[in-house]
Amino acid sequence: RIAAHTGQLDALLEPLDLRMVVDDVRGLAFLAVVPDYDGDAADESEQDDWTHPLMRRQRLTLEQSLLLAILRREFLQREQESGTGAPVRITVDSLLPQLETYLGSTGSDMQERKRLIQLLENLRMHGMVSEVDAQDCITIRPMIVHLLNPENLQALLLRLREVAQAGGAQSAQDNATDDAGGPP
């Protein structure tokens, strides 16, 4: 019904600067802020990219964003293999090596697993994955495709590069201080 009446819903949502987005393929419908939303003049003084009085911005940590990108890749890969609409389930243990590739290893398998479970629980609170079940699996929800669209992934990549460069610059500065006989 939503797909058939999207125009009417958009007309109702237009005064609120919202629009209805329908993904017929995955059976999703959700609200989004219109692309040309400017916000109030008071909002421009804030450091936030944008704010909308009816939408709450959900901030994710860098680790959560990275895990979301990994989960999106897994979702799309399984969706291509099994077809659209099939539930995408993945074991927690299969995510551990992928996360370690980017975040490095702490040296303790128990700590790695605990960190991953905590990240998954945080993402579950955002509605992106299900709870870890008795078989130690999660279900990745289809909304992940829209949350992590190519524009958002590009912004994440740029942020990761900034962090890496800042870390490299700090490391070089630390080495220069060490070489000059300064405090370590």
Side-chain angles (χ1 to χ4, degrees):
R1 288 185 180 176
I2 290 174
H5 300 289
T6 302
Q8 292 172 334
L9 289 169
D10 282 341
L12 291 171
L13 294 169
E14 189 268 329
L16 303 173
D17 291 319
L18 297 173
R19 66 185 173 96
M20 178 65 62
V21 178
V22 177
D23 181 347
D24 293 334
V25 174
R26 294 179 183 88
L28 297 174
F30 57 94
L31 290 178
V33 178
V34 294
D36 57 349
Y37 176 72
D38 291 332
D40 296 334
D43 292 339
E44 293 173 14
S45 64
E46 296 179 15
Q47 292 185 5
D48 207 9
D49 292 349
W50 63 268
T51 58
H52 189 282
L54 299 176
M55 302 288 267
R56 190 178 104 218
R57 182 174 209 147
Q58 297 180 349
R59 301 219 179 264
L60 300 175
T61 66
L62 196 57
E63 287 182 350
Q64 290 170 338
S65 298
L66 177 63
L67 182 56
L68 272 176
I70 291 169
L71 290 170
R72 181 183 191 272
R73 182 184 66 207
E74 286 292 324
F75 182 87
L76 291 175
Q77 185 176 11
R78 303 264 174 101
E79 192 176 60
Q80 287 176 352
E81 293 169 1
S82 304
T84 305
V88 176
R89 293 177 40 86
I90 188 168
T91 63
V92 172
D93 289 337
S94 68
L95 291 172
L96 277 169
Q98 295 180 58
L99 196 61
E100 286 177 11
T101 299
Y102 298 102
L103 297 178
S105 177
T106 62
S108 168
D109 291 342
M110 185 61 100
Q111 284 293 92
E112 296 291 332
R113 185 171 176 73
K114 185 178 176 182
R115 174 173 64 175
L116 178 57
I117 294 293
Q118 182 60 46
L119 288 170
L120 288 170
E121 179 60 24
N122 291 339
L123 295 180
R124 185 184 71 79
M125 301 303 248
H126 291 289
M128 292 297 106
V129 296
S130 69
E131 193 171 14
V132 178
D133 64 14
Q135 290 82 31
D136 212 26
C137 292
I138 59 163
T139 301
I140 305 171
R141 300 218 167 100
M143 189 64 186
I144 199 166
V145 173
H146 296 283
L147 177 68
L148 287 176
N149 58 33
E151 295 84 22
N152 290 344
L153 289 173
Q154 186 64 28
L156 174 62
L157 181 60
L158 291 173
R159 177 69 181 133
L160 287 171
R161 286 183 180 153
E162 289 172 7
V163 168
Q165 289 173 351
Q170 182 64 38
S171 177
Q173 183 180 16
D174 290 345
N175 289 339
T177 304
D178 289 345
D179 292 342

